[in-house]
Structures are given as structure tokens and as C-alpha cells.
Amino acid sequence: MRIGVMVELFRDTDVDERFRELRSMGMESCQLVCWDQDLMSQCTADQVNAAASRHNVDITAFWCGWEGPKVWDFYDGQLTLGLVPEAFRFERMKTLQKGIDFAAMIQVRDVATHVGYMPENPYDPNYPAVLACLKALVKQCKKNQQNFLFETGQETPVTLKRAIQDIEKETGKGNVGINLDPANLIMYGKANPIDALEVFGEYVMGIHGKDGNYPTDGHKLGQEVPLGKGKVNYPAFVAKLKDIGYTGDITIEREISGEEQKKDILMAKNLLEQLINEN
């Protein structure tokens, strides 16, 4: 398991500088994040490819965002996040389709996103419509020899596994999986990530290195904190990843900015490397 870090694309991002900095921190991989579909172009792809080649950076996944409102809580989040809200579904489908093709331009196999609050009830009338969109995205990925990954957080592990299995009934197995963010499972109050691996471990194709606390009220998510300072039991989590045979990267995500972010990323890297290197 290598340690990488999230790199986000903005209109003013100097990709070459970001990859140079990544290498200076002793890392060689990243998940590339973009929420702006105008940047998902051949011009941007050429810049990314040149920088990745120059600095020998392995982009393990393209994390594709979508435009429109997004509220990260338990109330308005139901109405604004991912493909679940019908009002935004069509436009976001187009963005995700564009993102899948952009990932192909930068030669990235895994495409991840937040789908939203997938209905816990399989008989919810919204469930089949969301599932139809996901099947189309998975088929597009399969055509490109890519994998479509659900970012964890807004649904329970059982709901996520059921959705994947329902998709596979039409698309077949092999290219739909999970980008497991252990902190999200805790911050959304959905699961203990070590236990979640018992449910859907076979589908995990990517990991975020992030930490957080459980929510303390029914409206707001739990707080994200530096890795090792929250409720994710990283010694047990890394040991469990080894047990299930996971050999992919752990990509650090710290959702703050500035020097404090860099300090926390380096601290997380050191902790994760110690845990990975333990027998």
C-alpha cells in the first residue's frame, strides 16, 4: 500500500507545481479531484499528462464532482447531493459522463464520485431512476475499460452493497466498486469502517486516509479532524485492509487549507507508513 494525497483542480491550479510539491512530500500518487466541468477538457488533460510524466506521479483515480448546490448535512444534503435529487440529476449525469471521458484522456482507470443519499428502502420510487443513471455510467466506464467507484458516506454499507449488486445484475461484475472514506462513514453516523469492510470489502478499490468524529446532533455531520485524532481506529483499519488483501493506495484527504493542511498531511503519511510497515 502506497501513500498518496488528494490534488484538486481549480481554474488557477498550477498542476506542475502541485505535482512537484507532492513529490517533495515523499509521495508518488494522488487522486485528482475536479468539480468544474469546463476544466474536463483536452487542454487540461494535456497539462495533467505532461506534469504527471515530468514528476512521475501516478494518478490512481479521477474524483469527479458535479455542479449545482451542495449542502453537507443531514437535511438539505438530501435535497442537493449527487444524483439522488431529481432536480439536478440530468445535468449532473452529463457532467459525470464528461468526467469519465476526461479520466480516459489522462489515462486513469478509476472514476469516483458521491452519488448522494441512496434510498435505504429499495422500494422507494426514487431508487430505480437513480439506479438507471448509475447503470449507464457503469456501462460507459466499462466501454472505456474503467471502474466506477462509489464514495462512501451518505448510505449504510448494506445499502451501498445492495445498489452495487443491483447494478451488476445488468452490467455484470468487475468494474463497479467503492472508494472507501472511513471518516465519512463515521462523520455521517453510518458505520464503523472496520466493520463495514466485513460487508463490502470485496468491492473496495480505493481508500481515503481521513479521520473524523461521530455526529452529535441530527442535523450536522461529525467534525473532520487530523488523521489519528478521530474515531477511525487506524491500527485496526490498516490491519483489516491487509486481512482482506487490499494492496491499493491510501490517499490522504485533509479538508482544510494552508500550512496546517500540509502539516497534517505529513503527520498522516508518517502514521500510515508506520502502520503499513508493521508485521
Side-chain angles (χ1 to χ4, degrees), residues 6-9 31-37 40 61-67 70 72 82-83 91-103 106 108 110-115 137 141 148-149 151 179 208:
M6 303 291 284
V7 173
E8 187 161 358
L9 284 177
Q31 289 189 4
L32 191 66
V33 187
C34 183
W35 290 84
D36 185 344
Q37 65 173 320
M40 301 175 195
F62 177 61
W63 206 104
C64 186
W66 23 259
E67 296 176 2
K70 46 186 179 286
W72 306 101
L83 294 172
E91 289 300 322
R92 288 176 178 175
M93 266 292 290
K94 291 197 296 183
T95 300
L96 290 169
Q97 289 169 331
K98 190 172 183 178
I100 289 168
D101 285 338
F102 176 74
I106 58 173
V108 173
D110 292 347
V111 181
T113 195
H114 269 302
V115 172
L137 294 172
C141 283
F148 180 87
L149 308 188
E151 175 92 357
N179 193 54
H208 278 176

Side-chain angles (χ1 to χ4, degrees), residues 213-245:
N213 293 322
Y214 284 104
T216 56
D217 67 46
H219 289 73
K220 298 178 181 178
L221 273 60
Q223 182 183 11
E224 188 218 355
V225 297
L227 193 146
K229 304 294 185 181
K231 295 298 184 181
V232 179
N233 184 342
Y234 267 97
F237 181 64
V238 172
K240 185 66 175 178
L241 291 176
K242 292 179 181 180
D243 286 345
I244 68 171

Side-chain angles (χ1 to χ4, degrees), residues 33-260:
V33 187
C34 183
W35 290 84
D36 185 344
Q37 65 173 320
D38 290 340
L39 293 178
M40 301 175 195
S41 65
Q42 186 63 58
C43 178
T44 304
D46 290 344
Q47 295 173 15
V48 170
N49 288 333
S53 176
R54 183 177 299 110
H55 298 286
N56 196 24
V57 171
D58 183 14
I59 304 171
T60 57
F62 177 61
W63 206 104
C64 186
W66 23 259
E67 296 176 2
K70 46 186 179 286
V71 183
W72 306 101
D73 69 9
F74 299 134
Y75 272 65
D76 290 336
Q78 302 273 356
L79 304 176
T80 62
L81 298 180
L83 294 172
V84 177
E86 187 175 3
F88 309 114
R89 191 178 300 150
F90 178 73
E91 289 300 322
R92 288 176 178 175
M93 266 292 290
K94 291 197 296 183
T95 300
L96 290 169
Q97 289 169 331
K98 190 172 183 178
I100 289 168
D101 285 338
F102 176 74
M105 294 178 200
I106 58 173
Q107 305 168 59
V108 173
R109 184 172 182 180
D110 292 347
V111 181
T113 195
H114 269 302
V115 172
Y117 283 87
M118 287 291 290
E120 297 284 326
N121 178 3
Y123 297 106
D124 185 313
N126 208 21
Y127 183 62
V130 176
L131 210 63
C133 292
L134 292 170
K135 289 175 182 177
L137 294 172
V138 169
K139 288 176 181 177
Q140 181 183 351
C141 283
K142 183 165 282 190
K143 184 178 178 181
N144 287 353
Q145 296 184 311
Q146 296 166 311
N147 301 314
F148 180 87
L149 308 188
F150 287 82
E151 175 92 357
T152 55
Q154 290 137 14
E155 62 288 298
T156 62
V158 170
T159 295
L160 180 50
K161 186 167 187 176
R162 183 199 72 219
I164 292 173
Q165 290 175 330
D166 286 346
I167 292 167
E168 288 177 333
K169 289 175 185 176
E170 183 172 323
T171 66
K173 288 181 174 288
N175 82 310
V176 56
I178 292 169
N179 193 54
L180 171 56
D181 188 318
N184 281 355
L185 288 175
I186 284 176
M187 292 161 61
Y188 281 87
K190 296 296 185 181
N192 179 299
I194 296 112
D195 295 335
L197 287 169
E198 295 280 352
V199 178
F200 58 40
E202 65 189 291
Y203 288 104
V204 173
M205 297 181 183
I207 301 281
H208 278 176
K210 192 169 81 174
D211 212 341
N213 293 322
Y214 284 104
T216 56
D217 67 46
H219 289 73
K220 298 178 181 178
L221 273 60
Q223 182 183 11
E224 188 218 355
V225 297
L227 193 146
K229 304 294 185 181
K231 295 298 184 181
V232 179
N233 184 342
Y234 267 97
F237 181 64
V238 172
K240 185 66 175 178
L241 291 176
K242 292 179 181 180
D243 286 345
I244 68 171
Y246 179 78
T247 58
D249 291 29
I250 299 179
T251 304
I252 297 168
E253 181 179 24
R254 181 68 172 112
E255 295 182 325
I256 59 173
S257 59
E259 286 303 310
E260 189 68 25

